[in-house]
Amino acid sequence: MERIITAVKSKPRLFKQPFKIGDVIEIRDKSYLILGIERFILHGHELTIWFTCQDLTKTDFLSMNKAYKQQHTVEAFVKAKQDNERLRLYELGTVHYIDGQAYKIQEYTEILIKGTDIEISFTVHPIDRKEAKAKLISERWKKLQ
C-alpha cells in the first residue's frame, strides 16, 4: 500500500531557492503537496532538505480538522553565510535563548537562499518551568566540573 504522507529528499542547487511549504512538486508523474520541513543538512556547498509531503493523487482518507497554532508560539529565524558552522546548531528540539527567554525549536517553516546567505525560519515555544530549571541546574553542574 502506498502512503498518503511521505518524506521527500531534495538537493537544491546552492544559491537557487528550495521548495517551500505549500508548493506542489512532481515526482514520477505524481503530485505532492509540501506540508513541512523535517530536517536539513548543509555540508560544504551542498544543501539537503527532507520535506513531509502528501500524495495528492490519493483521495480516499479521512480528513482531519486543521491543526491549531499553539499559544505562545513565536516565529524566529537565523541568517548566516552558507559555510557558517552556526547554522548546524538550529536543529528541531534544541533550546535557544531569545531576549533572555528559553525557547525550543518546534518546526521549520522556511529555508531561503539570499545571495550567499541562508535564512532558516522556525517556530519556537517557551520551554516549561520544570524543564527550564532542570536545564539550568545541568548547565551549572557542567561549569563546576
Side-chain angles (χ1 to χ4, degrees):
M1 180 175 164
E2 292 186 40
R3 297 180 178 169
I4 294 171
I5 305 296
T6 189
V8 173
K9 182 178 175 181
S10 174
K11 288 188 173 188
R13 287 182 293 168
L14 211 52
F15 311 117
K16 182 180 184 266
Q17 290 299 338
F19 296 120
K20 295 180 182 179
I21 294 173
D23 285 351
V24 175
I25 57 176
E26 297 286 327
I27 301 172
R28 291 185 216 112
D29 297 328
K30 285 190 179 183
S31 296
Y32 291 89
L33 173 65
I34 296 177
L35 301 174
I37 300 169
E38 291 181 14
R39 69 185 182 114
F40 70 94
I41 294 176
L42 183 61
H43 185 71
H45 294 289
E46 187 174 273
L47 175 64
T48 305
I49 305 170
W50 285 264
F51 294 105
T52 302
C53 296
Q54 179 175 337
D55 182 347
L56 294 177
T57 63
K58 304 277 186 230
T59 57
D60 56 342
F61 62 90
L62 295 176
S63 295
M64 301 294 285
N65 288 338
K66 192 168 188 166
Y68 63 92
K69 190 174 182 180
Q70 281 190 342
Q71 287 183 325
H72 310 296
T73 299
V74 176
E75 182 86 19
F77 72 93
V78 62
K79 182 178 176 181
K81 295 283 183 209
Q82 57 89 17
D83 58 353
N84 191 324
E85 291 293 317
R86 188 178 70 142
L87 289 173
R88 299 183 200 283
L89 302 175
Y90 293 88
E91 293 181 358
L92 295 179
T94 57
V95 175
H96 300 273
Y97 291 87
I98 302 171
D99 297 329
Q101 298 291 327
Y103 290 90
K104 185 184 282 188
I105 296 179
Q106 189 173 342
E107 68 178 336
Y108 298 119
T109 55
E110 192 170 44
I111 297 176
L112 293 173
I113 308 293
K114 294 186 173 183
T116 59
D117 293 345
I118 294 182
E119 182 176 297
I120 302 162
S121 298
F122 42 85
T123 58
V124 294
H125 68 277
I127 60 176
D128 89 7
R129 283 186 233 165
K130 288 181 183 177
E131 189 177 348
K133 187 174 181 179
K135 182 125 180 105
L136 177 64
I137 291 169
S138 172
E139 290 300 314
R140 285 184 179 165
W141 275 107
K142 283 180 187 177
K143 287 180 182 178
L144 288 173
Q145 295 174 358

